[in-house]
Amino acid sequence: MNNPEIIAATVTYVQKELEGAEGGHDWFHIERVWNNTRRIAQTEPVDHLVVELGALLHDIADAKFHGGDESIGPRKAGQFLELLQVPVEVIDHVKNIIAHISFKGGNFEAAFHSPELAVVRDADRLDALGAIGIARAFHYGGFKNREIYNPAIPPDLNMSRETYKKTKAPTINHFYEKLLLLKDRMHTETGKRMALERHRFMENFLEQFYREWNGSLSA
Ligand code: ADP
Ligand code: NI
């Protein structure tokens, strides 16, 4: 198989696997991340097959929906790529991207670095920002039955990941605890530029949100 055929086969596989997936992690999320990846990769010295496969397979089995098991995604992607007889060094790299892409902080994130991971991670983070990011956050909040906003529960920037998972923080808090921090954690120049535009849109959204909440709109 040549590279375009490998990509095409992967698209078909991912579409099938993600049928019926939750709306924030469905095929359209993958397609957007794939598009972001190709755009960012135009100006980065990276292996294009690796970044495209990384983007397409990065949420193939999200630990969030698999009892917290972080190893399922890389394993599943690896098994699929082996069937296509993709070179083993490409497979290993793609598996590392999937294993290390999430915003987790701590030692886990530091364990693997590559320019290809940086591109796919930026591409994935961009989809958590801007208008799409806002839609995904409230979609996820609804899925988890969270409040939209509660002035009595302020965002907690120092909350540990474990506590965070257990608390039912309102979705607005997620902007301060994660989304507004992402623009300073982008790795590529293109990613930074795209993130800044989406960041500003979220700031405007929040400003308008509080004005409406407080009944202080002038019109
Ligand atoms: P991805 O799987 O794309 O790497 P995540 O799984 O961290 O990213 O999050 C997927 C989407 O769900 C993102 O848009 C993110 O903002 C949103 N999300 C994750 N956790 C929360 C939360 N606690 N409240 C609201 N939205 C959330
Ligand atoms: Ni993702």
Side-chain angles (χ1 to χ4, degrees):
M1 264 192 194
N2 61 28
N3 289 0
E5 286 167 346
I6 292 170
I7 300 287
T10 306
V11 167
T12 305
Y13 169 71
V14 174
Q15 283 174 331
K16 182 99 196 81
E17 284 294 313
L18 292 182
E19 260 172 29
E22 173 270 322
H25 291 88
D26 56 4
W27 163 251
F28 293 118
H29 164 64
I30 304 304
E31 194 174 43
R32 291 189 301 266
V33 173
W34 183 31
N35 285 334
N36 292 341
T37 293
R38 283 182 292 186
R39 176 155 169 204
I40 296 170
Q42 280 172 4
T43 51
E44 300 292 320
V46 290
D47 183 313
H48 286 249
L49 180 63
V50 168
V51 290
E52 290 199 39
L53 291 177
L56 287 168
L57 291 162
H58 83 276
D59 277 332
I60 196 67
D62 194 309
K64 268 200 287 328
F65 307 113
H66 290 84
D69 185 345
E70 306 277 352
S71 69
I72 293 186
R75 200 164 58 238
K76 215 169 142 176
Q79 283 164 357
F80 169 73
L81 295 175
E82 277 164 26
L83 288 177
L84 302 188
Q85 299 186 312
V86 170
V88 67
E89 61 279 8
V90 171
I91 297 182
D92 285 346
H93 199 160
V94 170
K95 287 170 77 174
N96 267 319
I97 289 175
I98 301 169
H100 294 91
I101 191 169
S102 289
F103 177 98
K104 294 204 177 62
N107 297 332
F108 193 65
E109 189 165 12
F112 177 82
H113 287 291
S114 76
E116 285 77 6
L117 170 62
V119 168
V120 183
R121 184 185 275 154
D122 276 12
D124 191 33
R125 285 180 174 171
L126 282 170
D127 208 49
L129 303 180
I132 298 277
I134 293 168
R136 288 179 82 214
F138 286 103
H139 177 81
Y140 187 87
F143 181 70
K144 292 277 187 185
N145 198 22
R146 288 169 187 248
E147 286 178 304
I148 292 172
Y149 173 52
N150 185 338
I153 308 178
D156 180 355
L157 287 168
N158 299 314
M159 204 186 283
S160 79
R161 192 167 167 88
E162 292 319 305
T163 320
Y164 185 65
K165 275 191 199 154
K166 285 187 216 116
T167 48
K168 280 266 175 195
T171 299
I172 285 285
N173 293 19
H174 186 63
F175 286 77
Y176 300 93
E177 289 158 0
K178 175 172 169 182
L179 304 182
L180 293 171
L181 309 179
L182 290 177
K183 81 161 174 23
D184 294 326
R185 302 185 180 213
M186 303 299 284
H187 302 277
T188 64
E189 283 314 308
T190 308
K192 280 179 196 162
R193 251 197 342 270
M194 291 168 77
L196 189 59
E197 185 190 348
R198 294 175 193 213
H199 180 89
R200 292 191 177 129
F201 187 89
M202 292 193 299
E203 285 183 331
N204 291 339
F205 164 78
L206 288 168
E207 203 181 299
Q208 170 99 2
F209 182 94
Y210 297 125
R211 276 195 279 152
E212 292 179 14
W213 187 277
N214 295 317
S216 58
L217 278 189
S218 48

